[in-house]
Amino acid sequence: MLVGAVLIGIFGLLTVSHLDPGFLKNNQELTSQANAGTPIVQGPVVPKALPTQEVTTAAELRSSQIMAVEAGRPEAAWDKHCVAWDFAQTEKNPSPESKQAMKIWLGSHEASCPDAIAWPDYFVQVFSASGAGELTVLLEPEAATEKLLGNPVYSGLEKHAQDIAERLAAELPELREVTMKIESSPQELSVAIN
């Protein structure tokens, strides 16, 4: 049966080739270029450079962001080389507990900032300790859109919170709850840690 199908296919190709003389013919120009050693393709696509120098002014920050987005980075994760992210920003990580949790979590990803981590973790904006054993993870506002919550591949806030909790559990045994929040959104979910 398989042999019959193959023979019918070959017969069909021969018929089309007979009826259309240009069907299985080589392009003479491309063939001569290939035979002469001339490359037919243009060569590898060279990606645009991402910013790698630490920024010090608002203009440099905006320029670096534009450059990264134009190079193909998502808006929420443009700072792959962590040029604009300052871990020591006390207004974002106000307590020693949240600073420690952020440092452990980034270390578990071998990253210097959230933007250097793959989707969906690059939406993480800040950790804050809301009480003893409680950690709140704030996600960027874009997380409420199809870029995260509306993406069918995303496992949801609960799974995201569990993943973060698992990365922290060994070094923070006092951690009892992780709450995921999205900035400027009512979306919030807490996960208890056993």
Side-chain angles (χ1 to χ4, degrees):
M1 178 125 151
L2 179 62
V3 173
V6 170
L7 289 174
I8 290 172
I10 291 172
F11 180 73
L13 283 173
L14 290 173
T15 302
V16 170
S17 175
H18 179 71
L19 296 174
D20 181 6
F23 179 62
L24 291 173
K25 303 287 185 209
N26 287 335
N27 179 318
Q28 294 299 323
E29 182 181 344
L30 290 178
T31 302
S32 65
Q33 287 178 357
N35 290 339
T38 306
I40 296 172
V41 294
Q42 294 295 324
V45 175
V46 179
K48 294 180 181 178
L50 292 175
T52 57
Q53 300 298 315
E54 190 169 331
V55 297
T56 56
T57 67
E60 289 175 346
L61 175 69
R62 186 66 190 142
S63 175
S64 292
Q65 184 177 13
I66 290 169
M67 183 173 156
V69 171
E70 286 176 353
R73 291 290 294 174
E75 184 93 25
W78 71 269
D79 192 17
K80 180 180 178 179
H81 294 295
C82 307
V83 297
W85 197 79
D86 182 7
F87 179 77
Q89 294 175 346
T90 55
E91 69 274 6
K92 287 191 173 184
N93 296 303
S95 70
E97 294 85 3
S98 60
K99 285 181 183 180
Q100 181 185 14
M102 179 67 87
K103 187 174 183 177
I104 292 167
W105 179 71
L106 287 171
S108 74
H109 285 285
E110 297 180 0
S112 301
C113 69
D115 280 2
I117 304 171
W119 182 91
D121 287 322
Y122 62 61
F123 285 104
V124 169
Q125 200 170 25
V126 64
F127 283 14
S128 63
S130 45
E134 297 176 4
L135 182 70
T136 300
V137 179
L138 185 66
L139 301 177
E140 295 178 5
E142 292 85 11
T145 69
E146 72 283 348
K147 294 177 183 175
L148 186 66
L149 287 184
N151 189 321
V153 178
Y154 183 60
S155 302
L157 291 176
E158 182 176 6
K159 177 71 171 118
H160 202 166
Q162 288 171 342
D163 290 346
I164 290 174
E166 286 173 11
R167 289 182 178 271
L168 299 174
E171 293 192 51
L172 298 175
E174 67 281 359
L175 188 61
R176 299 285 170 244
E177 182 180 86
V178 174
T179 300
M180 299 292 286
K181 289 183 177 182
I182 298 176
E183 185 181 342
S184 306
S185 169
Q187 297 287 340
E188 180 178 323
L189 186 124
S190 294
V191 173
I193 301 168
N194 300 329

